[in-house]
Amino acid sequence: MSEPFRFKQFEINQGRCAMKIGTDGVLLGAWTDISNAESILDIGAGTGVVALMLAQRSSAEVIDAIEIDSEAYEQCVDNFEISPWGDRLYCYHAGLDEFVEEIEDLYDVIVCNPPFYTESVTSGDLKRDQARQNEFLPFNELLEGVSLLISENGIFSTIIPFKEKDDFIRMAASNELFPSRCLHVRGNPAAEVKRVLLEFTKLERTCEVLDLTIEIERHVYTMDYINLTKNFYLKM
C-alpha cells in the first residue's frame, strides 16, 4: 500500500489511480472562484482532489464528481468517504456524455482538469494514457457538456497547456462560453508559460489576465504560489 498524500485537512489515497496528484489539480482547486457556489461538478475527478479542495473552501451543499475509470471511481468514493465533507460529496461512475443525458440539474461551478496530451503517446498503460490523452475526452465534447450543465450565472474553470489556449477559447465561444479570468503559469522566472488556468461564464466581458510563477529557484516558492496553496499543502 502506498502512503496517502496528506493535505492540511484531508488525505488522498491514489494507488489505484492512473494519474497521481500533481500541481495542475492543486492549482485548479485553489484558484477556482467559489463565491457563488451552491452546487459544484468535477468532471473526470480522478483521485477526487479538486472536489475535496472545493469542499474545504466552500459551503456548497452539492458537490458531485464524475469518473469513467472504475478503479479511479472506487478510489475517489473512498477518498470522499474518509474526508470531513463526505455528506456533501458524491461521485458518479459515468462518462460525461451519459451524465449529461441523465442529469437535469445545473451547476454553479464546474471544474475539469482534463486529459490534454493531443499526441497519441502510448506508455503501455492504457489507464494512464486515458487519463492523460485528449482523445478520451476531446475539448469540444467537454465544452459541449459544460454548456448543457452550467447554470445561468455559473462558471467553468479548467487548466490546459498554454499552447492550446487560443483554440480552446474559440471552441468555448462556439458553445457560448466566454473567458472571464485567465492565469498564465510558469515554473520559474526564466521558464516559458506552460499552463493556463481559464474561467468561463455565459456572459461576454473583459477577461482579467494575470501571471503566476511557482518557484524562484528549486524548492523556493514565490509568495503568490504560497498564498494560493497554503491552506492545503503541509509544507506551506
Side-chain angles (χ1 to χ4, degrees):
M1 276 288 287
S2 58
E3 281 289 301
F5 191 107
R6 290 188 173 83
F7 291 93
K8 285 183 176 171
Q9 293 190 36
F10 63 93
E11 59 183 44
I12 297 271
N13 289 295
Q14 52 183 351
R16 285 179 281 166
C17 292
M19 288 306 287
K20 309 305 182 194
I21 290 167
T23 305
D24 287 1
V26 174
L27 283 171
L28 182 63
W31 181 79
T32 295
D33 179 6
I34 44 88
S35 50
N36 296 313
E38 290 181 24
S39 56
I40 294 170
L41 175 66
D42 181 4
I43 297 171
T47 60
V49 64
V50 178
L52 283 158
M53 290 177 73
L54 297 179
Q56 178 182 320
R57 291 180 56 214
S58 76
S59 55
E61 286 299 309
V62 174
I63 305 173
D64 289 342
I66 59 175
E67 175 52 55
I68 195 167
D69 177 77
S70 56
E71 292 208 42
Y73 158 75
E74 287 171 15
Q75 188 116 70
C76 184
V77 169
D78 290 347
N79 287 330
F80 283 178
E81 285 176 353
I82 62 169
S83 80
W85 315 286
D87 58 333
R88 295 194 282 139
L89 290 151
Y90 188 83
C91 189
Y92 294 85
H93 185 203
L96 180 58
D97 51 351
E98 52 188 314
F99 186 78
V100 167
E101 284 178 15
E102 304 256 321
I103 297 294
E104 291 174 9
D105 303 320
L106 299 177
Y107 294 90
D108 301 319
V109 174
I110 300 177
V111 291
C112 182
N113 179 9
F116 48 56
Y117 284 85
T118 46
E119 303 83 10
S120 291
V121 183
T122 176
S123 67
D125 180 340
L126 179 64
K127 287 185 189 303
R128 183 171 168 80
D129 293 342
Q130 283 182 335
R132 294 181 74 191
Q133 284 177 22
N134 176 259
E135 66 184 90
F136 295 102
L137 179 58
F139 287 157
N140 59 334
E141 286 182 25
L142 169 62
L143 288 160
E144 199 176 307
V146 168
S147 71
L148 296 169
L149 293 166
I150 195 169
S151 65
E152 195 55 42
N153 297 308
I155 65 155
F156 167 54
S157 173
T158 189
I159 183 166
I160 60 169
F162 180 70
K163 65 183 172 70
E164 310 275 358
K165 175 185 172 184
D166 293 343
D167 283 347
F168 194 90
I169 288 173
R170 271 195 294 272
M171 272 187 253
S174 69
N175 286 283
E176 298 185 346
L177 295 166
F178 306 99
S180 49
R181 285 197 306 147
C182 169
L183 185 69
H184 294 156
V185 182
R186 51 168 52 88
N188 62 65
E192 292 179 7
V193 174
K194 285 282 176 67
R195 292 280 186 273
V196 58
L197 286 141
L198 290 166
E199 175 188 280
F200 294 88
T201 66
K202 288 187 165 187
L203 190 69
E204 282 194 75
R205 64 181 85 177
T206 304
C207 181
E208 173 195 271
V209 181
L210 296 172
D211 293 281
L212 174 71
T213 303
I214 293 175
E215 294 177 319
I216 301 162
E217 56 187 68
R218 194 81 181 116
H219 300 310
V220 181
Y221 299 101
T222 64
M223 281 312 300
D224 286 345
Y225 184 67
I226 291 169
N227 289 334
L228 190 59
T229 61
K230 66 185 177 187
N231 291 333
F232 302 100
Y233 280 135
L234 295 175
K235 64 191 175 192
M236 296 302 185

